[in-house]
């Protein structure tokens, strides 16, 4: 289970000829020296619960790493320490190890485990600067002639009232997806859909939080 700051990466997936590293390539560079097969030129295989785009951070990203090493040859504490930048002297570090990458836990799983297909839910949180949002609201004419400005609190109340009506309902979200549908079903269940006003480092932001059993491509962005 890892966390990372998205500003430092071009996204999760490897992107050839990109000057900015991906999270996937960074993990391969870090872990291949200790988990890879020294007799093979093929790097270790890393799969993830959900691929993130450039600039998107993750708090609890589940990754699966396959290795030809036996269970007795795998040291979970060493793997975690290497990712977090605290490995022993026996490990040679590469220059592109990122300090914005953090591993919270390492567990052994069986061969059938797949983080993408076995995930029971996924959670997303989007933050919008409150001052910028209020400036935008001030520039939009209000439908209420007696009130020229719409407040953020009014918007939050309205959105939460809308989201309450679709929470915990299995609905077809194909109209809120992008591109060709590659899943067996377009039915999704939003387990949680809430909007909050939060404060981070002295600044206020509006947080859109979504938890669902699955999400279609770009579904939340369009929503």
């Amino acid at each position: 289970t890892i966390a990372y700051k998205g500003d430092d990466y071009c996204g999760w997936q490897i992107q050839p000829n990109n000057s900015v590293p991906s999270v996937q390539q960074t993990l391969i560079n870090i872990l291949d020296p200790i988990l890879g097969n020294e007799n093979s030129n093929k790097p270790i295989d890393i799969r993830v619960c959900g691929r993130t785009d450039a600039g998107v951070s993750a708090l609890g990203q589940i990754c699966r790493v396959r290795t030809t090493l036996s269970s007795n040859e795998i040291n979970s504490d060493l793997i975690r320490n290497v990712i977090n930048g605290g490995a022993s002297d026996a490990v040679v570090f590469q220059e592109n190890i990122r300090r914005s990458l953090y591993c919270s836990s390492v567990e052994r799983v069986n061969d059938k485990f797949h983080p993408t297909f076995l995930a029971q839910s996924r959670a997303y949180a989007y933050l919008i600067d409150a001052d910028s949002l209020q400036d935008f609201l001030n520039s939009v004419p209000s439908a209420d002639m007696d009130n020229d400005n719409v407040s953020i609190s009014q918007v939050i109340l309205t959105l939460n009232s809308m989201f309450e009506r679709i929470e915990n309902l299995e609905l077809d979200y194909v109209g809120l997806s992008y591109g060709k549908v590659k899943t067996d079903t377009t039915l999704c269940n939003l387990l949680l859909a809430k909007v909050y006003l939060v404060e981070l480092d002295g600044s206020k932001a509006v947080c859109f939080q979504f938890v669902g059993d699955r999400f279609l491509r770009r579904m939340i962005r369009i929503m």
Side-chain angles (χ1 to χ4, degrees), residues 26-36 44 46 65 79 82-83:
T26 300
L27 281 173
I28 290 175
N29 292 344
I30 294 172
L31 297 177
D32 198 61
I34 61 174
L35 296 179
I44 56 174
I46 302 181
V65 181
I79 294 173
V82 168
I83 295 174

Side-chain angles (χ1 to χ4, degrees), residues 1 20 31 33 57 78 85 92 114 116 120 122 129-130 137-138 149 159-160 165 168 202 206 215:
T1 303
V20 180
L31 297 177
S57 301
L78 177 61
V92 178
H114 197 292
T116 304
Q120 297 181 350
R122 293 177 175 84
D129 179 70
L137 294 174
N138 292 341
N149 296 327
L159 290 174
N160 281 331
R165 302 187 182 192
N168 296 303
V206 178
F215 293 96

Side-chain angles (χ1 to χ4, degrees), residues 171-183:
L171 301 172
D172 193 338
Y173 285 90
V174 66
L176 294 175
S177 63
Y178 175 84
K180 183 179 179 180
V181 176
K182 298 181 180 180
T183 56

